[in-house]
Structures are given as C-alpha cells and as structure tokens.
Amino acid sequence: MRSFGSLGARSFDAIVIGGGVIGSSTAFHLAKLGAKVAVLDKASQVGMGASGRSSGMTRLHYSVESNAVLAKRAMHFFHNFSDELKSTAANSGYVQTGHMMVARDDKLGKAMQKTVEWLRDKLGCDTQMISKGEASAMHPYVNLDDVDLVGWEPGSGFADPYLTCTSFAQAAKEHGAVFFGNCEVTGLLEEGGRVRGVETSTHGVLEAGVTVSCLNIWTKKTLGGWLAQIGANHINLPVSIEKHLLVALRVPGQPYMHPNACSWSDLPASQVAGGGMLPNVKDLIQDSKPYFRAYDGGSSILIGDNHPNTVESVPDDKADDGDWDESVSMEQQMHCAELGVTRFVGFDEAEIFSDWSGCYDCSPDYNPILGKLPEIDGLRAAFGFSGHGFKLSPVIGAMLAGDALDESTTSVLGGLGLVDGKGEDVNIKTYSYDRFEQKQELTGSYRGAGA
C-alpha cells in the first residue's frame, strides 16, 4: 500500500466525498487495506441521497463483458455479505428470488438469449434459458401469452439499499474510518496540479494523499464547480441526470408470493431461498421495458418504468432534494399500474400502495466512469453509473480503493478477482474517463442501457 506519510492531526491517507453505497463501499475497502480514511457527507447520515431511492435489484445479465464480470463477483459478495465484511452484524437484506427475463422471438429477444448463453458458457454464470412451462411453475402469476423466450437466473434477487450502505459504513468504522456528517465540502485543496485534500464548512481544511469523489448526481454541479475553482476548466464531466419512477401495487388477497409458499417441498429452490417471494421479472416486450420485484415482504410488487416518454431530464443545478420535482403524477402511477396489469394475471383490481422517484447519473455510454481525471493528481472520481451502481457497488468500491492505493482489485477482493472470458483481468482502466476521447465506449447488445 502506498504510504503518504504524516500530514498532521487533521490529515488522512484518503478522503471519500459522499456517503452513498459507492462511497461507503470505497471507504470500507480503503480502511480494510489499512488506510486512514475520512468520509464526508453534507447529510446527517449515510445513504440519504440517490442510494436510498434504489430498487436494490441484482442480476448477472449484462452483454458488456466487463459489467458481467463485475456483476458476477458482486453477486458472490451479496450472497456472502457478512463474511466479506468480516462482521456477523453486517446485513444487506439480500433476498434470493431469482430473476426472470421475458421476450418475444425478435431482435431483442434473440439478443437476450445470446447473452444468457454467453454468460453461462464463457463466464460460468448461473443463467439459462427455460421453457414457458418451467417459468409458470416458478411464477404462477406471470402472463406468458405474448412471450416466446424466457431467461432465468436462480441466484439473483434484491437487497436493501439502506442496510447495505450502513453495513459498509459500519464495517469501515470498525477498520478505523471516520465519518463526518453534516459536513459540506466547499472546495478542493490544490497545490502544483495535485489535490491534497478539501476545505469544509464545519471542519476546516482536511488533508489527504488521495481524495475520492463519489458524488453521483451531484458530480457535474459540485465536483465540476470545485475543479473550476482550481483552474481545471479543461475537465468536462460527461454526465446527465435522469428521473426514474417506482410504483408499488398491492392486490387484495394475492400477495406477490408463490401460492405454494406454505409447502416448501413444492417450491423451486430460489423461492425457498426467497421465503416464498416470487422472482424479479424484466419485461423486454412492453415499450417501457419495465422491471418488477417483490416489495414490503412480498405483500406487494414494485414496478420500475424505463419508458423514454416518462424518463425526465433533471438540470444539473437542480440535483438537490427539493430542487427537482420528486413527485409521481397520477398519470404516471396509472401507467406503471397498467404495466403490472399487462404482465401479471389477477392484477386488474390492484391498488397503488406507494410511489417514489429517484435519479440516475448517466454517462454517454450508460456505463460508469471511474478513476483518474486528466492532468490532475491526487483525485479519483466515480460517476455515470446509469442505474447500475447499487448492484455493482461491492466491486466498484474495491476497484476505487485499489486504484487509490496502488493495489490490484484482486488483492483487495481477497484473491477472488475479476477475470473475463479470455482469462484477462478486468480493471479500472476499462471505465476510464478518456475512453470517450479514444473512441472506446462500452457497448453491448442493449445500446442506450449500458447492459
């Protein structure tokens, strides 16, 4: 591990700005490596920003190979969360329900099938194509009338974003990290082209060998402003903000549970692991390409809408809570409800139980931007997650920590590394800032989705 020496009483090896799931994961991995770490957030506690609004779904299905490699390792992390954090108290709230993808036998469906088979054959992922009969046994309520192809991941599911974030933070504290809440960073401390720490509203100047920005939707406005203050106007942060909707439906007398939940011997293994909750479903047929998962212990279903007509752009200067319109209109609620009614049997009498919205920080190729920024040392950034951040967070944090401390991601992850289908390591350079200038955007079968 790189040693930065002693910078004084208010100095650290690393400062992490942002206490969301990416920042907290990064802090954990840094502290586990022995670094003296400070995490700064303007909120009073971790997980109060974009992370807390996530649906928390996990999956392996990525046609961008590096993403698939990260997702596979992150899935292992979620399945072994307390062991990975070396804490019996750590709890991500992970529920293994399985993840089902439904499609027609069209261009998109063929891409889904090709990706499922490639993930299985080349990366060793637990994913497969199943028959409609098998799908009905696993999910008796899913409407398969218009479905030709079904993909299946038995180990996928969802986790609790807040529990995940706070568990990372607590584990980081157990390794010596300190968290400063209600601490607004007002600028970067720069000298000779190197960032040497930050200036804050409540704790003055804090010095560090490396500063890691994990600001999510606040990246362009906030980090961009700090870079301008130190004369780094050449750095354009290619990120935009999108508002996405989530609506929960509840059907009286029909929870989102397998009807045989009281007879465990009759349930597929994934439903046993998930306490009888029905699988996540990704719908590649409806125009919205919606996703569905169990919510509120399986009493209701959560619906995520990706329709281009309902995804709204949020101005960069309106990223703060209260500055952007967080509401979900009645028209939008009804649209989401119709998505559920179309895909599931018995949802005609469903009631809208809850709704909220959240924001994605989107890059030009809908994949994360990680690591160094051009012509400035001592600073790392993580942004542009485009909706993939939560499910990849255990590994993203390890990649950022390793990059900051000159350690390989494999060593940070305890030897279980990131290897692609060619046997080559996947590292942080894949997600570099300069990939756009070098015409090396990350693309797969689902252009515009980063998948």
Side-chain angles (χ1 to χ4, degrees), residues 113-125 127 421:
Q113 181 173 6
K114 180 181 178 181
T115 300
V116 166
E117 293 170 348
W118 167 76
L119 288 167
R120 179 195 64 203
D121 298 339
K122 297 299 183 183
L123 295 183
C125 293
T127 180

Side-chain angles (χ1 to χ4, degrees), residues 134-392:
E134 291 172 311
S136 290
M138 294 174 183
H139 198 321
Y141 301 141
V142 66
N143 179 3
L144 299 173
D145 290 346
D146 58 347
V147 172
D148 300 310
L149 300 169
V150 184
W152 175 244
E153 298 177 5
S156 298
F158 62 90
D160 184 305
Y162 182 72
L163 286 178
T164 301
C165 190
T166 53
S167 289
F168 271 127
Q170 181 58 38
K173 291 176 183 177
E174 291 172 3
H175 284 283
V178 292
F179 283 68
F180 295 103
N182 297 313
C183 180
E184 184 172 359
V185 175
T186 57
L188 300 173
L189 186 65
E190 182 267 342
E191 181 181 345
R194 182 180 183 86
V195 172
R196 297 189 174 276
V198 298
E199 298 181 47
T200 72
S201 60
T202 54
H203 292 79
V205 171
L206 301 177
E207 296 180 322
V210 64
T211 298
V212 186
S213 170
C214 300
L215 288 172
N216 198 273
I217 61 174
W218 295 272
T219 295
K220 192 161 191 174
K221 173 187 174 182
T222 305
L223 179 59
W226 299 337
L227 291 170
Q229 289 174 6
I230 62 174
N233 298 304
H234 63 285
I235 300 177
N236 172 47
L237 300 172
V239 62
S240 58
I241 306 173
E242 292 181 358
K243 173 185 173 182
H244 287 250
L245 313 176
L246 288 162
V247 171
L249 295 185
R250 178 173 291 172
V251 181
Q254 183 180 306
Y256 196 71
M257 303 281 288
H258 199 288
N260 294 335
C262 294
S263 179
W264 298 107
S265 61
D266 295 331
L267 288 181
S270 60
Q271 265 86 70
V272 173
M277 294 186 208
L278 290 169
N280 300 345
V281 176
K282 175 63 179 179
D283 187 335
L284 296 173
I285 298 174
Q286 298 191 70
D287 290 341
S288 288
K289 305 299 182 285
Y291 55 87
F292 310 89
R293 76 154 175 90
Y295 180 66
D296 194 30
S299 66
S300 55
I301 181 172
L302 189 65
I303 303 170
D305 177 32
N306 290 312
H307 198 288
N309 292 341
T310 57
V311 173
E312 303 173 16
S313 295
V314 176
D316 299 323
D317 62 350
K318 300 293 184 182
D320 288 333
D321 289 351
D323 287 348
W324 57 281
D325 182 7
E326 302 175 39
S327 65
V328 181
S329 70
M330 181 58 68
E331 181 181 359
Q332 292 169 329
Q333 292 178 39
M334 294 304 298
H335 168 71
C336 288
E338 288 169 4
L339 298 175
V341 170
T342 299
R343 185 49 56 207
F344 300 104
V345 175
F347 271 61
D348 302 79
E349 302 300 321
E351 303 168 349
I352 296 173
F353 171 63
S354 181
D355 64 81
W356 71 90
S357 62
C359 289
Y360 289 0
D361 57 329
C362 297
S363 72
D365 64 0
Y366 286 83
N367 286 286
I369 298 171
L370 307 173
K372 298 179 181 179
L373 297 176
E375 301 176 31
I376 188 163
D377 294 326
L379 178 67
R380 304 292 189 273
F383 60 97
F385 289 98
S386 310
H388 311 307
F390 177 79
K391 62 182 67 66
L392 302 180

